[in-house]
Amino acid sequence: ILTTQFYNQIKLIPDDLSYDEKCLRKPDNEFTEDVSIDDENNERILTNIYFDFETFAEEKEIKLKLKTRVAQVHNPYVVCYWKEDGKKKDYRGFNCAWNFLRYLPNNTRLIAHNANFDYRFLIQYLSRVKEITRNNHFIKLTGYFQNKYIEIMDSYNFLPERLANFNKMFHLGDTVKEVMPYDIYTRENIRKKYIEIEEALKSHHLRKESKRLQFLENIDKWNLKKGTTYDIVEYSVKYC
């Protein structure tokens, strides 16, 4: 929790539980199935959903018992997910993790590659959490979001490869990972959405000429340019 954006914002006892019905967003029928229990085997029938967060880092002061230290805190701004039919969708914004959980069906298995990172943005909203680790490595987590049962699993446990290698392994065509100017992603820039292309090219993550050329090819191919700027949030969704 110390490395997420909610390290100093969690209230164990809410001040007020009342709400206005007008504030509720109606379900968009994205997840309407009510998956329950297999009576014959007495096991949960789970809907598999694959997910991945894109985050930005910012420095925050973290108060410990005896001192205060400054740490890089990761904050999610995009979560992409794939249902079993392979269709990719997303939630955007600084509350994307909460919105993602709100519209999951009951009995969901969430799967991420290196979920040890991604699950941190969800666990703060879950109750009755049980976590399984092996040699300090995350294996699986179970818990509840409101009344919905949620499992989170790490696909790295049965496919120990970097995401950057997936293209060659699974013949994914022109999917390109690790061509991302991470350091231009700040809270301010994400709010602005459109950032100068020249600013992105100065990123130390694009030091290699091959990565700069690939980045420029990506924003052209994905139709993200607007004059001398490009849509950094949409780039993240395409990249995710």
Side-chain angles (χ1 to χ4, degrees):
I1 297 299
L2 287 179
T3 57
T4 70
Q5 79 275 29
F6 292 99
Y7 72 96
N8 65 348
Q9 300 177 28
I10 296 174
K11 291 186 178 181
L12 296 179
I13 303 177
D15 296 326
D16 185 8
L17 293 176
S18 63
Y19 61 89
D20 188 334
E21 290 285 345
K22 295 179 181 179
C23 297
L24 291 178
R25 175 182 166 187
K26 300 296 183 182
D28 54 8
N29 296 321
E30 174 66 39
F31 302 111
T32 56
E33 61 268 41
D34 182 17
V35 187
S36 52
I37 302 293
D38 181 341
D39 292 331
E40 183 177 345
N41 298 314
N42 197 28
E43 294 181 355
R44 291 181 183 273
I45 302 173
L46 300 175
T47 299
N48 290 323
I49 295 177
Y50 304 85
F51 75 103
D52 187 25
F53 278 103
E54 293 299 330
T55 68
F56 68 98
E58 60 186 355
E59 290 188 347
K60 291 282 184 69
E61 285 191 352
I62 298 177
K63 293 182 180 180
L64 305 175
K65 287 185 178 180
L66 301 178
K67 62 180 180 178
T68 298
R69 69 182 179 91
V70 176
Q72 287 281 330
V73 177
H74 286 270
N75 305 270
Y77 63 95
V78 165
V79 56
C80 296
Y81 63 94
W82 297 258
K83 295 173 69 177
E84 291 174 327
D85 60 10
K87 293 181 180 178
K88 177 180 177 180
K89 298 189 178 181
D90 63 85
Y91 283 97
R92 308 180 190 193
F94 302 127
N95 293 322
C96 61
W98 167 264
N99 289 326
F100 177 50
L101 285 170
R102 283 182 67 190
Y103 296 107
L104 291 177
N106 187 23
N107 297 327
T108 295
R109 179 187 290 119
L110 295 174
I111 303 170
H113 206 62
N114 191 23
N116 187 52
F117 175 78
D118 296 87
Y119 91 111
R120 302 178 191 186
F121 309 113
L122 301 173
I123 190 174
Q124 56 218 356
Y125 302 121
L126 303 180
S127 61
R128 290 178 277 172
V129 170
K130 296 180 181 178
E131 187 175 326
I132 300 173
T133 61
R134 182 187 302 127
N135 298 325
N136 295 321
H137 184 76
F138 174 80
I139 304 295
K140 176 181 175 181
L141 175 148
T142 63
Y144 288 82
F145 177 74
Q146 298 172 348
N147 292 320
K148 295 185 292 191
Y149 177 81
I150 304 290
E151 282 188 7
I152 304 175
M153 294 186 65
D154 191 347
S155 60
Y156 191 86
N157 294 306
F158 47 86
L159 187 59
E161 289 283 347
R162 296 171 61 232
L163 283 175
N165 297 336
F166 278 23
N167 184 30
K168 183 180 294 185
M169 290 173 59
F170 300 113
H171 309 290
L172 299 178
D174 59 357
T175 301
V176 179
K177 297 297 286 184
E178 298 190 353
V179 180
M180 173 69 111
Y182 290 105
D183 43 356
I184 71 162
Y185 283 82
T186 64
R187 191 176 295 274
E188 180 183 358
N189 282 350
I190 290 167
R191 284 180 174 142
K192 288 197 296 188
K193 192 176 178 183
Y194 283 93
I195 301 298
E196 291 290 334
I197 295 170
E198 285 300 320
E199 181 181 346
L201 289 172
K202 294 176 184 177
S203 167
H204 75 272
H205 294 283
L206 302 181
R207 284 178 303 216
K208 293 182 179 179
E209 181 67 14
S210 60
K211 288 196 172 185
R212 286 197 293 272
L213 292 174
Q214 183 63 63
F215 169 75
L216 292 172
E217 181 182 329
N218 287 348
I219 60 177
D220 280 332
K221 175 175 58 181
W222 295 335
N223 196 27
L224 304 180
K225 292 174 71 173
K226 184 178 180 180
T228 60
T229 67
Y230 80 107
D231 186 336
I232 67 172
V233 176
E234 188 64 30
Y235 188 95
S236 294
V237 172
K238 296 289 188 182
Y239 170 89
C240 189

